[in-house]
């Protein structure tokens, strides 16, 4: 599809032709057998469909521009194609076409919401309905967002290429921000009945790998990849067989993916202090967790230190970072220190409506044996929890503290 | 691709320092690249005159169509490879350092001659035979909702197609069919050139602060009005400009803003220039709009 966009300059035609080629494959492959080179078959089929579509449109409307695209396209498919050659070209194109697409989709002239949506739709190949669900908006809203973004790419002349070297550093941050958002949504879904969306996390990892390949010596893409790999390494242990949430300290650390952890840690080679960006610091926080052999062995003081650094290097400290830091303080010191840090954050009202604030307060109250106030905070958190697994986890905790708070049943009472 | 660059103070302007003004280098660079079509500075916004027709009545006012921080102080028309080159050029304009540059793509009509540019090739060689005004065609948000999408006729086969039909492109507001007006004013020699711009959704804002390039999609979501296109007029006086503007179809649905040009030597010593211009900067040099309107009506009778 990336190749078609470049050839036709028309995102809709390219998309339609690509899905048309897959439909055709679904109809003919079961009957005629799978061709020896399915990738090349699909590319050729999609090109022919795009050509048909442009021809039809040009005839219908007599528009000049589409005739021109058609000429360009016709020139490309002239001559008998050598499947081996196409496959070789296709392999190569795939890498840089995807990379080009990332830079186009994550262009700063688009809104951040559009960039995320368009990257997932076009580079990641997700359906509009899936993206809409992932970001908790109506499908029609998401469809409109994608249409507007595609229209802007065409109207405003957003180029379909990797920026020139001198412009690259300024553009890379924006690309990483989009990929970070996708990974975050994969790590903790903002809605729905699943805690995590492994598909989004994997997509983000594969996309950030492309950026690392492009800029192998730049610190932040490497750090972001390390962060994603170490987060994803725990994916299998964060939910149990029934899809229920398992908190960090109860996770079976033997089930963490050691290969991903090793790769992630290897990306965190020593770098000069000036190159330490927010992804590096967050990756190091993950590294502290994955290095701990048991939950009790976690070096929480090191984590607090990293959160301090993160707040210092990011302008306008995010309340989510402050929340994580408050939790780390409580884990490093004691529950009261954690509750004090959370109280300060609560009074700022910047996280009102966010379930993890009362959930964290409830957790420290539970740990220090204050069952009744803990239960009150759990109820608050349950009302705000965005995903079903988180809600059920909090309900289980609530039941636990309610049992410990309830007066011992009178042995004389029947029942 | 051709773009209009509009210069404005924007939301967070910093003080203009004439000694740091390197507009001469910028213009030279544009010339070397062959990217420049035409550009002018505009008289400050108190020299603007707006023209509207409402309920069959012609209304004129002194001043710009919008609050001054959004009011444009100058423009360029450039022809470059793509948006990235336009952004790069915009980011080096002095206005990017103290205000912001709005990068607006022109409409590309499917039936247009691909070699044709917005500014006629021989335009810079022509000598002015009258007073030149930039006439901004301003659309209002009620228009934006009312128009029908250009691809609204196609079948809505997917959710995205349906959304495409529903998301009416703003630029259609400007296609309030000015063809007859264009034909008439071209024949009169009054309209030198002009073109429709893509809508505000397709705009890009560019500025530079502390050496950092800032690019955004522009805070257009709430804007009530925006520049949908413009024409360069050559007329006897403001009275004739008002008469010409009042005949434009968008005078009824939108607003027309007449802005006198304010040419200057880009290679001048800008500190000295700023000192010389201090006196005429703060006053309206144009006749009062009401007076010009009376003159226009008098001429028509």
């Amino acid at each position: 599809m990336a190749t078609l966009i470049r050839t036709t300059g028309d995102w809709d035609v390219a998309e339609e032709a690509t899905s048309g080629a897959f439909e055709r494959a679904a109809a003919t492959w079961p009957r005629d057998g799978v061709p020896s080179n399915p990738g090349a078959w699909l590319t050729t089929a999609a090109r022919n469909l795009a050509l048909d579509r442009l021809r039809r449109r040009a005839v219908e409307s007599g528009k000049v521009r589409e005739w021109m695209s058609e000429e360009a396209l016709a020139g490309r498919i002239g001559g008998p194609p050598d499947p081996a050659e196409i496959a070789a070209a296709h392999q190569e194109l795939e890498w840089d076409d995807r990379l080009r697409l990332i830079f186009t989709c994550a262009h700063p002239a688009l809104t951040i919401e559009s960039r995320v949506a368009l990257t997932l739709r076009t580079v990641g190949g997700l359906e509009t309905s899936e993206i809409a669900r992932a970001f908790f908006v109506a499908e029609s809203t998401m469809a409109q967002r994608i249409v507007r973004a595609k229209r802007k790419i065409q109207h405003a002349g957003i180029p379909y290429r990797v920026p020139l070297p001198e412009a690259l550093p300024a553009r890379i941050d924006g690309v990483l921000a989009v990929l970070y958002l996708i990974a975050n949504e994969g790590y903790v879904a903002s809605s729905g009945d699943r805690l995590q969306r492994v598909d989004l996390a994997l997509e983000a990892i594969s996309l950030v790998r492309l950026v690392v390949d492009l800029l192998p010596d730049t610190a932040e893409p490497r750090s972001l990849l390390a962060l994603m790999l170490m987060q994803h390494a725990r994916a299998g242990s964060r939910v149990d067989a029934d899809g229920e949430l398992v908190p960090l300290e109860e996770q079976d650390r033997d089930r963490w993916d050691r290969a991903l952890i090793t790769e992630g840690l290897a990306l965190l080679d020593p770098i000069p202090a000036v190159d330490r960006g927010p992804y590096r610091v967050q990756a190091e926080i993950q590294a502290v967790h994955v290095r701990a052999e048991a939950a009790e062995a976690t070096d929480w003081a090191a984590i607090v230190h990293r959160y301090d650094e993160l707040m210092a290097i990011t302008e306008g400290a995010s309340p989510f970072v402050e929340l994580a830091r408050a939790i780390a303080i409580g884990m490093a010191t004691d529950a009261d220190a954690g509750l004090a840090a959370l109280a300060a954050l609560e009074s700022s009202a910047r996280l009102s409506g966010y379930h993890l604030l009362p959930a964290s307060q409830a957790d420290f109250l539970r740990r220090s044996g204050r069952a009744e106030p803990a239960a009150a905070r759990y109820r608050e958190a349950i009302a705000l929890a965005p995903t079903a697994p988180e809600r059920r986890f909090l309900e289980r905790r609530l039941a636990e503290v309610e049992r410990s708070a309830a007066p011992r049943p009178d042995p004389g009472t029947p029942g | 691709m051709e773009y209009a660059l509009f210069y404005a103070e924007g939301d967070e302007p910093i003080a203009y320092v004439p000694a740091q003004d390197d507009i001469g280098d910028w213009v030279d660079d544009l010339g070397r690249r062959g990217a420049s079509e035409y550009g002018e500075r505009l008289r400050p916004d108190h020299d603007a005159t707006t023209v509207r027709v409402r309920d069959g009545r012609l209304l004129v006012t002194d001043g710009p169509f919008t609050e001054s921080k959004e009011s444009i102080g100058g423009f360029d028309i450039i022809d470059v490879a793509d948006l990235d080159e336009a952004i790069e050029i915009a980011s080096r304009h002095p206005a990017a350092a103290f205000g912001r540059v709005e990068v607006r793509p022109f409409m590309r009509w499917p039936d247009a001659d691909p070699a044709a540019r917005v500014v006629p090739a021989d335009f810079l060689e022509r000598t002015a035979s009258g007073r030149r005004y930039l006439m901004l065609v301003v659309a209002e948000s009620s228009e934006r909702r009312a128009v029908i999408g250009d691809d609204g006729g196609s079948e809505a086969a997917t959710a995205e197609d349906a959304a495409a039909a529903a998301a009416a492109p703003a630029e259609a507001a400007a296609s309030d069919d000015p063809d007859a007006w264009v034909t008439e004013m071209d024949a009169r020699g009054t309209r030198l050139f002009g073109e429709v711009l893509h809508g505000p959704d397709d705009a890009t804002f560019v500025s530079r602060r502390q050496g950092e390039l800032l690019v955004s999609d522009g805070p257009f979501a709430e804007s009530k009005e925006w520049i949908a296109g413009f024409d360069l007029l050559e007329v006897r006086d403001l009275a004739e400009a008002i008469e010409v503007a009042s005949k434009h179809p968008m005078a009824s649905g939108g607003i027309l803003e007449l802005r006198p040009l304010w040419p200057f030597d880009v290679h001048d010593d800008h500190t000295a220039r700023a000192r010389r211009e201090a006196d005429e900067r703060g006053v309206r040099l144009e006749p009062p709009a009401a007076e010009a309107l009376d003159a226009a009506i008098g001429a028509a009778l």
Side-chain angles (χ1 to χ4, degrees):
Chain A
M1 181 170 145
T3 318
L4 278 179
I5 291 173
R6 201 174 39 171
T7 328
T8 63
D10 189 315
W11 291 55
D12 291 322
V13 167
E15 202 170 291
E16 210 173 285
T18 307
S19 63
F22 279 103
E23 272 166 33
R24 196 165 284 187
T28 60
W29 290 3
R31 190 189 64 216
D32 306 337
V34 177
S36 58
N37 190 332
W41 189 98
L42 285 169
T43 310
T44 310
R47 261 187 202 153
N48 289 339
L49 284 170
L51 186 62
D52 277 355
R53 162 89 172 148
L54 288 175
R55 233 179 229 151
R56 212 166 355 111
R57 226 210 244 168
V59 169
E60 282 163 7
S61 65
K63 282 182 180 174
V64 172
R65 221 179 95 231
E66 274 131 30
W67 274 115
M68 288 165 58
S69 310
E70 191 208 327
E71 292 298 301
L73 195 66
R76 280 200 145 230
I77 60 161
D82 175 3
E85 218 174 84
I86 290 178
H90 196 69
Q91 286 291 314
E92 202 174 313
L93 279 177
E94 211 154 83
W95 186 82
D96 50 77
D97 277 349
R98 273 164 68 85
L99 201 56
R100 270 192 209 104
L101 272 176
I102 292 177
F103 279 96
T104 305
C105 295
H107 198 279
L110 301 170
T111 64
I112 185 74
E113 295 85 3
S114 307
R115 283 181 240 168
V116 169
L118 203 57
T119 303
L120 286 173
R121 179 77 189 88
T122 312
V123 196
L126 268 66
E127 292 300 326
T128 304
S129 57
E130 290 178 84
I131 306 168
R133 268 200 308 281
F135 292 96
F136 205 41
V137 298
E139 186 176 346
S140 58
T141 308
M142 186 54 77
Q144 200 169 91
R145 191 176 289 169
I146 292 171
V147 163
R148 284 228 171 94
K150 283 200 259 185
R151 183 178 284 155
K152 180 160 188 177
I153 287 172
Q154 224 157 25
H155 288 176
I158 293 177
Y160 175 51
R161 63 169 153 74
V162 174
L164 300 172
E166 58 269 27
L168 204 49
R171 289 283 302 282
I172 207 78
D173 284 352
V175 168
L176 296 182
V178 168
L179 303 183
Y180 178 73
L181 278 175
I182 295 171
N184 258 356
E185 187 60 32
Y187 185 63
V188 184
S190 57
S191 64
D193 49 15
R194 278 182 293 168
L195 175 71
Q196 47 187 2
R197 294 185 43 107
V198 174
D199 50 344
L200 288 186
L202 288 173
E203 191 55 46
I205 288 172
S206 100
L207 296 177
V208 83
R209 276 189 201 281
L210 291 179
V211 180
V212 171
D213 285 349
L214 175 72
L215 297 165
D217 301 323
T218 311
E220 281 292 89
R222 288 169 64 85
S223 299
L224 181 57
L225 179 57
L227 169 62
M228 289 180 184
L229 291 172
M230 288 186 283
Q231 277 183 339
H232 189 61
R234 307 207 314 263
S237 63
R238 289 175 63 225
V239 288
D240 65 16
D242 302 323
E244 296 301 319
L245 184 153
V246 181
L248 179 60
E249 59 190 330
E250 291 168 23
Q251 285 170 21
D252 176 0
R253 294 185 179 223
D254 292 338
R255 293 187 57 208
W256 290 359
D257 189 326
R258 287 292 141 193
L260 293 183
I261 289 173
T262 307
E263 189 190 352
L265 290 173
L267 287 161
L268 298 181
D269 39 9
I271 55 167
V274 290
D275 287 345
R276 291 178 62 82
Y279 300 128
R280 172 67 185 216
V281 178
Q282 289 179 76
E284 288 184 0
I285 292 169
Q286 287 304 315
V288 173
H289 285 302
V290 299
R291 280 194 179 115
E293 282 175 15
E296 310 80 66
T298 307
D299 184 355
W300 285 102
I303 293 178
V304 173
H305 179 73
R306 298 286 189 293
Y307 277 122
D308 287 341
E309 184 184 359
L310 188 57
M311 285 171 67
I313 56 175
T314 50
E315 268 174 68
S318 144
F320 301 103
V321 173
E322 281 183 55
L323 174 66
R325 179 175 166 275
I327 295 169
I329 287 173
M331 297 304 285
T333 321
D334 56 31
D336 283 339
L339 287 167
L342 291 170
L345 190 55
E346 186 181 20
S347 64
S348 78
R350 286 189 300 152
L351 281 177
S352 52
Y354 186 56
H355 68 296
L356 285 185
L357 178 58
S360 310
Q361 289 167 318
D363 191 51
F364 283 127
L365 290 166
R366 177 185 64 89
R367 285 167 194 274
S368 55
R370 281 165 274 185
E372 271 170 33
R377 290 297 192 183
Y378 276 126
R379 286 188 202 103
E380 235 181 274
I382 289 164
L384 297 169
T387 63
E390 285 176 283
R391 197 162 53 243
R392 288 196 299 270
F393 169 75
L394 293 166
E395 282 163 356
R396 286 198 300 277
R397 283 280 201 244
L398 173 63
E400 279 172 38
V401 297
E402 276 175 342
R403 267 198 304 280
S404 70
R408 285 172 187 282
D410 184 342
T413 313
Chain B
M1 274 192 66
E2 293 176 282
Y3 298 86
L5 305 182
F6 292 127
Y7 311 113
E9 278 194 351
D11 293 330
E12 287 166 358
I14 57 177
Y16 168 70
V17 182
Q20 291 169 3
D21 191 334
D22 54 359
I23 184 70
D25 296 343
W26 186 87
V27 168
D28 291 346
D29 173 63
L30 220 58
R32 273 193 301 273
R33 293 179 189 225
S36 177
E37 290 192 30
Y38 177 64
E40 288 286 3
R41 184 170 62 154
L42 300 173
R43 279 287 300 157
D45 54 28
H46 47 253
D47 263 334
T49 301
T50 58
V51 178
R52 274 171 298 178
V53 173
R54 296 291 184 273
D55 301 325
R57 291 188 52 203
L58 175 57
L59 309 168
V60 297
T61 47
D62 296 354
F65 74 88
T66 184
E67 61 207 81
S68 58
K69 65 177 180 178
E70 292 299 329
S71 175
I72 67 169
F75 69 97
D76 273 283
I77 298 164
I78 60 171
D79 188 3
V80 294
D82 53 37
L83 184 63
D84 282 356
E85 190 181 2
I87 288 172
E88 193 255 318
I89 286 173
S91 74
R92 287 186 295 99
H93 190 278
F98 63 85
R100 65 155 165 76
V101 183
E102 192 180 322
V103 180
R104 297 284 304 272
F106 283 100
M107 277 292 243
R108 283 166 296 172
W109 303 101
D111 52 351
D113 170 6
R117 291 167 130 199
V118 172
V119 181
D122 63 338
F123 176 74
L124 294 178
E125 282 109 67
R126 294 187 211 160
T127 40
S129 62
R131 228 175 127 59
R132 285 176 175 179
Y133 287 87
L134 184 73
M135 185 184 81
L136 298 170
V137 180
V138 180
E140 289 182 308
S141 56
S142 55
E143 292 280 307
R144 196 176 170 187
R145 283 193 298 274
V147 292
I148 294 156
D150 54 357
D151 37 10
S154 61
E155 270 179 71
T158 67
E160 285 182 24
D161 283 350
E171 58 266 22
S175 72
D176 226 358
D177 212 6
D179 281 4
W181 180 89
V182 167
T183 308
E184 181 190 344
M185 297 309 161
D186 281 357
R188 248 168 81 168
T190 302
R191 176 184 173 276
L192 302 176
F193 62 81
E195 192 49 276
V196 177
L197 296 159
H198 275 298
D201 290 342
D202 297 323
T204 302
F205 282 5
V206 178
S207 59
R208 201 156 29 92
R209 294 289 184 274
Q210 280 111 33
E212 200 184 337
L213 169 65
L214 305 171
V215 177
S216 76
D217 61 304
F220 270 116
E222 320 81 44
S223 67
K224 288 193 206 62
E225 56 228 345
W226 67 93
I227 299 169
F230 59 80
D231 293 275
L232 191 71
L233 307 181
E234 189 167 84
V235 289
R236 281 187 311 278
D237 51 18
L238 181 62
E240 189 185 3
I242 290 174
E243 180 251 325
V244 169
S246 71
K247 290 181 173 164
H248 193 285
M250 281 293 284
S252 304
I255 307 166
L256 298 168
E257 178 175 314
L258 296 163
R259 298 290 299 272
L261 308 184
W262 198 16
F264 71 113
D265 176 3
V266 294
H267 294 105
D268 205 347
D269 170 347
H270 294 298
T271 310
R273 174 185 56 77
R275 210 179 305 122
R276 268 198 320 277
E277 289 172 349
D279 289 344
E280 54 166 332
R281 180 168 283 280
V283 293
R284 183 173 168 99
L285 302 180
E286 292 288 289
E291 208 175 273
L293 174 63
D294 288 346
I297 293 168
L301 289 174

